[in-house]
Amino acid sequence: MKKVYFLLPILAMLLLLNQSCRKDDSLGVEVVPPRDRGEEALAAQAEIEEYLSTHFYNYEEFENPPADFDYRIQFDTIAGDNASKTPLIDQVSSKIAKDRAELGVVTYKLYYLNVRQGGGDLLKFPDIATMSYEGRLLNNEIFDSSVIPVRFDLTGVINGLQDGMKGFRGASSFTENGDGTISFEDYGIGAVFVPSGLGYFVNPPNGSSIPLYAQMIFTFQLYQVEVGDQDNDGVISLLEDLNNNQIEEDDDTDENFIPNFVDGDDDGDGRPTRDETELNEHVINIGDPDPEYGVDEVEMYRVTDEEEGTITIHTIFLFDSNNDGIPDYLDEEN
Ligand SMILES: [Ca+2]
Ligand SMILES: [Ca+2]
Ligand SMILES: [Ca+2]
Ligand SMILES: [Ca+2]
């Protein structure tokens, strides 16, 4: 299988970015500074909008699927026999996404195509997605793909893919076919049009064919969703986003440069978060009212078992022993 380029950790990219900005006196070579991120955001948007206005996707196949249809998005130019096709620009949605390097300063209009939402679990920004995908440049050159479903931690992929995919859902159900393959029903299908600032900007992966400042398109089939708890401290990463900005990297209670979602001792008091909290679960029947929670008990996520007719509610006790409103695991003094 091909190397998965877009898994390059963000942290490594930021380090590279710092290096590329630095003048290397020893060699007497002045490294070209990267372009202004805000200006590049506008240039990227114009380039993507041009693509969306001049291309269409195989929407007719999705409307009337041929017998052997693979439910994968294909793009083509609006020209010749295809001159009357509906352009993507009339079918995409958009959302505002935040630049991570200049958070609060630079934003993007992030375009995505929702071909099918999916009928299963909701994918949130710090979750784990099992998906097949294709990554391509605007010239339609595919630089990476997998037909086989692969698990991706959304906190480890490029930000544009993370921001674009959240909100889609996994499959409503799956069937094991007996020959080792699995068929998924009503899974999410979409595409994200990623501006370079939410992609690789000046740091495309070594050895890849991705140029500097390249806009990218990812098409995906989202099969399964797992709730992310990257540091395995029991507190799901969604709850570790303390400032609720849907960005996991900028919450760091003890300011040790390790964000809470990957810090097993969030307040840095020497006691692991696991020892300052307690996991719990409630099993109820579908249709039953929610259970009463204890003091300091917080719901994290639910798992529905249609066959058993039950819902398991996973909760956590975020104890606050000195009653100062700050739970112990975030309270250095407790
Ligand atoms: Ca956690
Ligand atoms: Ca945050
Ligand atoms: Ca920390
Ligand atoms: Ca602690």
Side-chain angles (χ1 to χ4, degrees):
M1 200 195 310
K2 277 204 268 181
K3 186 172 183 293
V4 178
Y5 292 124
F6 60 100
L7 257 186
L8 186 71
I10 305 298
L11 190 63
M13 284 170 59
L14 291 175
L15 290 174
L16 284 169
L17 188 66
N18 285 337
Q19 281 168 6
S20 69
C21 301
R22 201 177 305 144
K23 187 178 171 182
D24 191 339
D25 287 326
S26 60
L27 293 171
V29 177
E30 190 157 357
V31 178
V32 179
R35 293 178 193 167
D36 178 85
R37 297 187 72 87
E39 286 172 20
E40 196 53 28
L42 293 174
Q45 184 180 330
E47 218 180 295
I48 288 170
E49 286 171 353
E50 168 69 16
Y51 180 92
L52 296 172
S53 303
T54 53
H55 290 74
F56 71 102
Y57 84 100
N58 50 337
Y59 57 89
E60 286 159 326
E61 288 187 301
F62 280 95
E63 284 162 13
N64 294 299
D68 57 348
F69 187 46
D70 61 4
Y71 288 86
R72 281 166 208 276
I73 297 170
Q74 303 296 340
F75 300 109
D76 205 347
T77 316
I78 298 181
D81 289 348
N82 295 321
S84 62
K85 302 292 188 198
T86 305
L88 281 159
I89 195 83
D90 293 342
Q91 293 171 320
V92 289
S93 312
S94 70
K95 57 175 112 174
I96 300 299
K98 301 179 185 106
D99 191 62
R100 308 303 202 271
E102 291 188 39
L103 192 58
V105 180
V106 177
T107 57
Y108 300 87
K109 186 172 186 181
L110 179 63
Y111 287 101
Y112 63 99
L113 179 67
N114 184 342
V115 173
R116 191 165 73 189
Q117 185 86 38
D121 294 331
L122 178 66
L123 182 68
K124 294 178 282 319
F125 70 95
D127 287 343
I128 316 296
T130 298
M131 63 199 242
S132 53
Y133 67 95
E134 279 183 340
R136 72 188 80 210
L137 303 173
L138 297 192
N139 66 7
N140 222 24
E141 179 195 325
I142 293 174
F143 57 81
D144 188 20
S145 69
S146 178
V147 175
I148 299 161
V150 186
R151 278 177 87 241
F152 284 107
D153 178 344
L154 281 201
T155 66
V157 303
I158 57 163
N159 296 317
L161 190 60
Q162 178 186 33
D163 293 348
M165 284 190 73
K166 70 184 181 189
F168 281 86
R169 290 175 177 273
S172 56
S173 61
F174 64 91
T175 319
E176 286 175 31
N177 299 322
D179 60 357
T181 63
I182 297 173
S183 299
F184 295 94
E185 318 298 328
D186 195 18
Y187 50 87
I189 303 172
V192 189
F193 303 85
V194 180
S196 64
L198 294 174
Y200 291 118
F201 208 61
V202 292
N203 292 296
N206 280 339
S208 83
S209 59
I210 303 171
L212 300 180
Y213 307 109
Q215 284 38 273
M216 301 183 287
I217 306 171
F218 286 94
T219 58
F220 58 84
Q221 295 74 39
L222 174 60
Y223 301 114
Q224 279 182 311
V225 172
E226 295 160 63
V227 176
D229 176 15
Q230 276 74 5
D231 57 7
N232 195 31
D233 67 355
V235 182
I236 60 169
S237 294
L238 192 70
L239 286 187
E240 308 239 39
D241 173 25
L242 295 176
N243 61 0
N244 277 314
N245 67 349
Q246 307 231 337
I247 290 176
E248 73 284 359
E249 302 107 302
D250 69 343
D251 309 271
D252 181 13
T253 299
D254 60 2
E255 299 180 341
N256 67 345
F257 302 103
I258 302 171
N260 288 16
F261 84 105
V262 281
D263 193 337
D265 175 13
D266 295 295
D267 55 5
D269 67 354
R271 295 174 66 202
T273 295
R274 267 204 184 273
D275 293 348
E276 299 192 89
T277 57
E278 192 177 310
L279 297 174
N280 194 19
E281 58 182 54
H282 303 265
V283 181
I284 60 172
N285 293 315
I286 294 175
D288 280 0
D290 284 358
E292 297 264 332
Y293 294 145
V295 177
D296 299 334
E297 188 178 13
V298 174
E299 178 176 334
M300 294 203 291
Y301 63 98
R302 298 178 174 220
V303 179
T304 301
D305 187 331
E306 299 279 357
E307 275 177 30
E308 295 288 326
T310 58
I311 300 171
T312 303
I313 306 172
H314 295 262
T315 64
I316 188 165
F317 284 95
L318 303 177
F319 302 113
D320 177 13
S321 3
N322 63 353
N323 272 312
D324 65 351
I326 305 170
D328 297 353
Y329 83 106
L330 298 175
D331 193 346
E332 194 189 358
E333 295 172 359
N334 230 299

